[in-house]
Amino acid sequence: MSFEIFTQPWADSFREQVNRNADHRRAASTWEHPVALAVEPSPAVPGGRRLLLDLWRGDCRAAQVVDEAGSERATFILSAPIEQWKQIFCGRSDPILALMQGRVKLLKGGMFALARNATAAKQLVLSATRVPTYFPGEPEPPAVPAANPVAPAAPVSHERASRNSLRSLGPQGLRHDSLPMKLYHQAKRVGGWNPQDIDFATDRADWARLNEREHDVILRLTALFQGGEESVTQDILPLMLTVAREGRLEEEMFLTTFLFEEAKHLEFFRRFVDEVIGGPQAGDLARFQTAPYREIFFEELPGAMGALLTDPSPAAQLRASATYNMVVEGTLAETGYHGYYAMLEKLNLLPGLRHGIGLLKRDESRHIAYGVHLLTRLVAADHSLWPVLESRMGDLLEPALGIIRSLFEPYGDDVPFGLVQDDFMEFAMSQFKGRMHRIERARILTPEEVETEATDEA
Ligand code: FE2
Ligand code: FE2
């Protein structure tokens, strides 16, 4: 038997599924807020519909169809057209991602609180996919689709013992007008800075007059950045191998500058630690790693990049680049460097560190531009890959925001240098949203159109 979505029989069945879902119970163990889900009025649902969920520490205590006044009892009200809810409840669209992209509107409540509970939201949706559901205006109940609607592409072998030709000797030569080649030329022009040339004399004097709590913040941020740079230096190689094997010569040439720059970033932060901090404080910096940091840098990043060694398919490339370029570089590093740089500039502190971060930010913007290009061409070549990207980004959102949250936790309400957690969160989420929006356009483009656009823009 199937139930029409957002009706009382559907709500009863949904509640039953939520309460059976042990993963939801675990993920939502601290959640104590009623949530209302609203369907916008449309020809298929003329008056709209509203569902009030009484969610309490992993339990769904009640699920009721209510009127507008009834939905006001909720702490959070989420509203979307029926088509969008269909995407979500069929497992084709991530709920938090849809919220960030503005496809689901938050009429009441705070965005951060929802984003921090992305796993619980996902489990709630998973519970709904277990309810036999049909949608208003549909004659027949649709079958529940598989969680991942995209079949993985057949693995492409990395084996290549010989070659048939040399690309650059052909009539096309090197494609200097392509985006990767333009980024390669930019990298040679402006990315040639030497971390050893940075003057840390004033930084040493600044460091000596800062207090213990201020030292702690700078050490923590530096340790996280240095660890991040080491990770990206180590993990880029499988992607280089993959594009080289596909004969993408210009991309491979750009990636040689990419790896060189990541190595310099790592060198830069370590030099600051050795030459400015020094002494026992510069001892074991691993103490600053938190659970979400380890999840991203010890598991997700090496996992997604290393997977390319055995599965270099477009879907695997997309998961790798989403993790590396969109989340680690495009959300975490960019947010961290932006916030850190702004703080040092405002307080006129540590000019050597600030100078290096300014140079490094420019390098990172080329890396991210390449990632956007790669993801855009992958999605344009196979539009069915878009849900793979959405799902990957949705999975990484919570640990990524968790890294920012755990960075501020030790300082309570009094964060040294007046750093504000919400500023970082807001910047991270707007980067995340902007990047997804940019790549989403590829869903209606052909690879040739992407190529032309990239050539024009670079
Ligand atoms: Fe870097
Ligand atoms: Fe980078």
Side-chain angles (χ1 to χ4, degrees):
M1 180 169 181
S2 291
F3 307 103
E4 186 173 322
I5 196 157
F6 289 102
T7 58
Q8 193 54 51
W10 185 87
D12 294 339
S13 181
F14 176 48
R15 177 174 168 243
E16 209 178 299
Q17 289 297 340
V18 174
N19 288 335
R20 269 190 212 166
N21 182 342
D23 290 331
H24 174 266
R25 197 169 289 279
R26 246 189 316 276
S29 63
T30 56
W31 184 267
E32 299 177 348
H33 307 285
V35 175
L37 308 179
V39 181
E40 289 173 9
S42 67
V45 196
R49 277 178 206 170
R50 287 165 205 86
L51 189 65
L52 180 66
L53 304 171
D54 180 1
L55 301 168
W56 181 262
R57 299 185 187 176
D59 213 22
C60 182
R61 298 193 297 195
Q64 282 174 298
V65 172
V66 291
D67 57 14
E68 200 171 339
S71 68
E72 284 300 326
R73 296 206 299 273
T75 315
F76 298 87
I77 304 179
L78 298 134
S79 176
I82 191 67
E83 275 309 310
Q84 181 57 46
W85 286 122
K86 186 175 172 181
Q87 292 288 317
I88 291 173
F89 286 121
C90 286
R92 287 195 289 262
S93 170
D94 182 273
I96 300 295
L97 213 51
L99 192 64
M100 290 182 58
Q101 291 169 327
R103 287 184 278 123
V104 172
K105 294 189 193 79
L106 186 59
L107 302 183
K108 186 178 172 189
M111 171 82 100
F112 296 153
L114 287 177
R116 281 173 199 153
N117 286 277
T119 308
K122 243 186 242 290
Q123 289 302 329
L124 210 57
V125 166
L126 200 67
S127 309
T129 62
R130 292 172 185 150
V131 179
T133 301
Y134 65 98
F135 293 84
E138 282 180 354
E140 281 184 27
V144 178
N148 181 355
V150 179
V156 179
S157 171
H158 268 308
E159 298 299 320
R160 191 175 70 180
S162 64
R163 61 165 53 83
N164 300 325
S165 63
L166 289 163
R167 242 265 340 260
S168 70
L169 300 183
Q172 202 174 32
L174 286 173
R175 296 190 42 214
H176 289 284
D177 63 340
S178 68
L179 182 112
M181 210 55 186
K182 289 190 174 179
L183 292 172
Y184 170 75
H185 288 305
Q186 268 177 28
K188 286 181 298 159
R189 259 196 328 271
V190 298
W193 59 285
N194 182 355
Q196 297 293 328
D197 291 342
I198 304 248
D199 180 3
F200 283 137
T202 309
D203 294 54
R204 278 188 281 272
D206 282 352
W207 181 259
R209 65 181 173 79
L210 293 173
N211 67 35
E212 204 179 319
R213 292 183 88 239
E214 290 167 337
H215 278 177
D216 195 78
V217 169
I218 291 172
L219 263 171
R220 186 179 304 271
L221 281 164
T222 306
L224 300 185
F225 291 146
Q226 186 190 315
E229 296 292 356
E230 176 180 330
S231 307
V232 293
T233 302
Q234 290 229 301
D235 293 338
I236 193 69
L237 282 165
L239 180 66
M240 289 180 76
L241 180 66
T242 303
V243 301
R245 289 295 197 213
E246 288 185 358
R248 299 181 189 277
L249 191 56
E250 289 81 0
E251 293 193 27
E252 185 190 355
M253 287 174 76
F254 168 65
L255 287 172
T256 62
T257 72
F258 194 122
L259 175 55
F260 179 50
E261 287 166 0
E262 299 300 17
K264 285 197 299 176
H265 300 169
L266 164 58
E267 177 198 356
F268 168 71
F269 283 116
R270 189 63 223 185
R271 191 176 159 235
F272 177 79
V273 169
D274 290 337
E275 297 184 22
V276 177
I277 298 170
Q281 280 180 306
D284 187 10
L285 300 177
R287 66 184 185 277
F288 292 117
Q289 287 154 5
T290 56
Y293 187 86
R294 281 191 294 270
E295 186 176 343
I296 294 276
F297 290 99
F298 288 28
E299 305 293 336
E300 297 293 352
L301 182 67
M305 300 304 286
L308 293 174
L309 294 172
T310 48
D311 173 16
S313 65
Q317 290 181 40
L318 186 124
R319 281 191 287 271
S321 175
T323 312
Y324 194 114
N325 304 115
M326 292 302 102
V327 173
V328 169
E329 294 188 311
T331 304
L332 289 172
E334 204 165 56
T335 300
Y337 294 145
H338 169 83
Y340 202 17
Y341 186 87
M343 173 199 98
L344 295 174
E345 194 168 53
K346 196 168 114 197
L347 302 173
N348 192 22
L349 263 183
L350 304 167
L353 181 65
R354 199 167 68 208
H355 179 49
I357 291 178
L359 294 165
L360 192 149
K361 268 160 48 128
R362 280 202 315 209
D363 298 345
E364 291 301 344
S365 65
R366 283 192 299 280
H367 302 177
I368 296 164
Y370 170 73
V372 170
H373 174 74
L374 172 61
L375 289 168
T376 306
R377 82 159 162 73
L378 289 168
V379 174
D382 180 357
H383 292 175
S384 74
L385 284 177
W386 174 252
V388 179
L389 179 63
E390 277 201 312
S391 145
R392 183 69 188 149
M393 295 289 273
D395 287 347
L396 296 174
L397 180 64
E398 196 183 10
L401 294 181
I403 291 178
I404 300 174
R405 196 169 57 246
S406 62
L407 172 70
F408 286 87
E409 249 161 25
Y411 308 106
D413 293 334
D414 181 23
V415 186
F417 304 119
L419 288 173
V420 180
Q421 177 175 181
D422 280 358
D423 291 349
F424 278 67
M425 285 282 193
E426 221 165 279
F427 188 82
M429 285 169 74
S430 79
Q431 295 303 94
F432 193 90
K433 190 174 157 179
R435 296 269 140 73
M436 285 299 281
H437 195 67
R438 178 91 205 272
I439 302 162
E440 189 172 11
R441 293 170 51 254
R443 296 170 80 185
I444 50 160
L445 297 176
T446 63
E448 294 71 32
E449 285 168 333
V450 167
E451 213 53 56
T452 313
E453 267 197 13
T455 302
D456 293 345
E457 275 173 29

